[in-house]
Amino acid sequence: MRRLTTLFPSEFLEEHAEELGVVEREGKLQVPVLVWALVFGFAAGESRTLAGFRRCYNSTADETISPGGFYHRLTPTLAEYLCDHVEHGLDEVAVPDTVDADIDRFRDVMIADGTVLRLHEFLSDEFQARHEEQAGAKLHLLHNATDETIERIDVTDEKTHDSTRFKTGSWLQERLVLFDRAYFKYRRFALIDENDGYFVSRLKENANLLITEELREWRGRAIPLEGKRIHDVVDDLSRKYIDVEVEAEFKRGQYEGTRSLDTKRFRVVGVRDEDADDYHLYITNLPREEFSRRI
């Protein structure tokens, strides 16, 4: 609620409502309450009906509104008004709180992510969900954190995997891309590297990669890691950081009807979480000479 209030303060809602002519002449309709009712009423509960939205509004507003009065306000003008809020929210989300000086070496820092939007089950033919008797859309964003813009936006059904919406190419040159595990793919990482780009991604739990070299020396009776699989040894370690080179095997794209096997070496960095007694593991191609532990 606090985050939504920051994105859409009451002053913003009222000002834009007047611009779009959504304000009730008698002053009975409370536009901020209407927006909150539609936002929270849509996001919560299995049954999202117009009557439910009206009940949500009436439970918060100073004066209740009749069914006819509520339905009468569901107009194309209101739809345009809500679209304006979405654009405003995206602009606000695209502004980073802080920017580390280390990222100045990149042409841009990009963030790829997707989120599911639950829809009414009547839309299930067009927006198939992962579960029956549901409908869902998926919003795919490519956020340029350097320019503070949304560079690409796609809307698909919920079944469309995030990974399919990210395309590699020469546009990646000198750019750093931040992924979550939905985009995890060795071939994708290899293509980013081959296009002179950079990436950071959380390491999947089933990515038990072979360690080919330790990139950080440890004194004393440290467990040697070279030649071992990362997840086979990580539970036995107590060091604060892990910094190793790993080898990944993957299939290249199809060429003349066949897909050849290839290998590529990446870097895995781990930061120990003392509270959880485990490591946050990341895979990247950032050079250790410039990024010793800061991922």
Side-chain angles (χ1 to χ4, degrees):
M1 178 67 178
R2 182 179 300 173
R3 179 58 175 160
L4 285 173
T5 304
T6 302
L7 292 179
F8 306 123
S10 297
E11 296 81 3
F12 174 87
L13 299 176
E14 292 170 351
E15 175 187 351
H16 286 256
E18 292 175 0
E19 291 176 4
L20 293 171
V22 183
V23 177
E24 165 64 20
R25 293 178 181 177
E26 291 81 7
K28 293 181 180 180
L29 183 70
Q30 294 178 262
V31 175
V33 178
L34 175 64
V35 173
W36 301 139
L38 294 174
V39 171
F40 289 109
F42 185 85
E46 292 296 326
S47 177
R48 291 173 292 276
T49 64
L50 294 180
F53 290 137
R54 185 179 69 86
R55 286 193 295 271
C56 183
Y57 173 89
N58 285 343
S59 66
T60 308
D62 295 332
E63 295 185 42
T64 60
I65 190 170
S66 66
F70 184 79
Y71 303 151
H72 179 70
R73 290 169 175 80
L74 303 180
T75 63
T77 301
L78 177 61
E80 180 184 354
Y81 172 60
L82 294 174
C83 287
D84 190 49
H85 287 319
V86 172
E87 293 180 2
H88 174 77
L90 290 174
D91 288 342
E92 290 296 313
V93 170
V95 179
D97 295 329
T98 59
V99 177
D100 195 299
D102 287 344
I103 70 173
D104 287 343
R105 72 176 305 283
F106 303 111
R107 180 161 61 96
D108 291 301
V109 176
M110 315 296 293
I111 304 172
D113 201 3
T115 188
V116 173
L117 308 173
R118 185 62 55 217
L119 304 177
H120 195 283
E121 61 183 29
F122 290 164
L123 296 172
S124 58
D125 288 342
E126 184 173 357
F127 294 97
Q128 294 185 2
R130 294 185 179 275
H131 304 286
E132 295 183 0
E133 299 181 355
Q134 287 187 354
K138 185 171 283 188
L139 178 67
H140 309 266
L141 294 177
L142 184 62
H143 171 204
N144 187 323
T146 303
D147 290 345
E148 303 176 7
T149 59
I150 301 299
E151 186 150 319
R152 190 160 61 243
I153 181 170
D154 294 307
V155 178
T156 66
D157 61 25
E158 184 183 349
K159 285 189 173 181
T160 301
H161 198 280
D162 296 339
S163 185
T164 63
R165 313 308 295 182
F166 187 90
K167 305 300 181 183
T168 54
S170 58
W171 68 271
L172 289 160
Q173 185 176 12
E174 297 182 5
R175 281 175 157 170
L176 170 65
V177 187
L178 308 180
F179 295 113
D180 66 15
R181 282 178 283 203
Y183 297 85
F184 192 98
K185 204 171 189 178
Y186 299 133
R187 183 161 67 94
R188 172 172 293 114
F189 299 157
L191 290 171
I192 292 174
D193 186 70
E194 290 159 11
N195 278 283
D196 297 322
Y198 300 90
F199 69 91
V200 176
S201 170
R202 287 290 298 273
L203 186 70
K204 280 191 171 183
E205 294 181 1
N206 62 354
N208 202 12
L209 297 168
L210 178 67
I211 299 172
T212 56
E213 182 182 355
E214 291 193 61
L215 302 178
R216 179 186 176 97
E217 295 183 0
W218 291 89
R219 297 178 181 178
R221 301 175 60 184
I223 298 174
L225 302 182
E226 188 172 329
K228 296 182 172 64
R229 299 278 176 177
I230 184 72
H231 285 299
D232 291 347
V233 296
V234 70
D235 290 338
D236 299 325
L237 302 178
S238 59
R239 60 189 69 174
K240 189 173 182 179
Y241 302 105
I242 299 171
D243 196 348
V244 296
E245 181 185 73
V246 297
E247 184 175 80
E249 184 178 77
F250 61 96
K251 288 185 177 181
R252 287 286 181 178
Q254 193 169 24
Y255 179 73
E256 294 184 350
T258 61
R259 300 181 65 187
S260 60
L261 281 175
D262 201 353
T263 59
K264 191 86 172 179
R265 292 191 175 185
F266 301 113
R267 180 182 170 208
V268 168
V269 177
V271 181
R272 187 170 185 80
D273 183 346
E274 297 294 344
D275 294 332
D277 194 27
D278 64 2
Y279 288 90
H280 295 295
L281 296 173
Y282 303 86
I283 185 169
T284 183
N285 66 337
L286 291 174
R288 188 180 189 281
E289 296 77 17
E290 298 178 63
F291 298 87
S292 58
R293 292 194 306 271
R294 288 174 285 186
I295 297 297

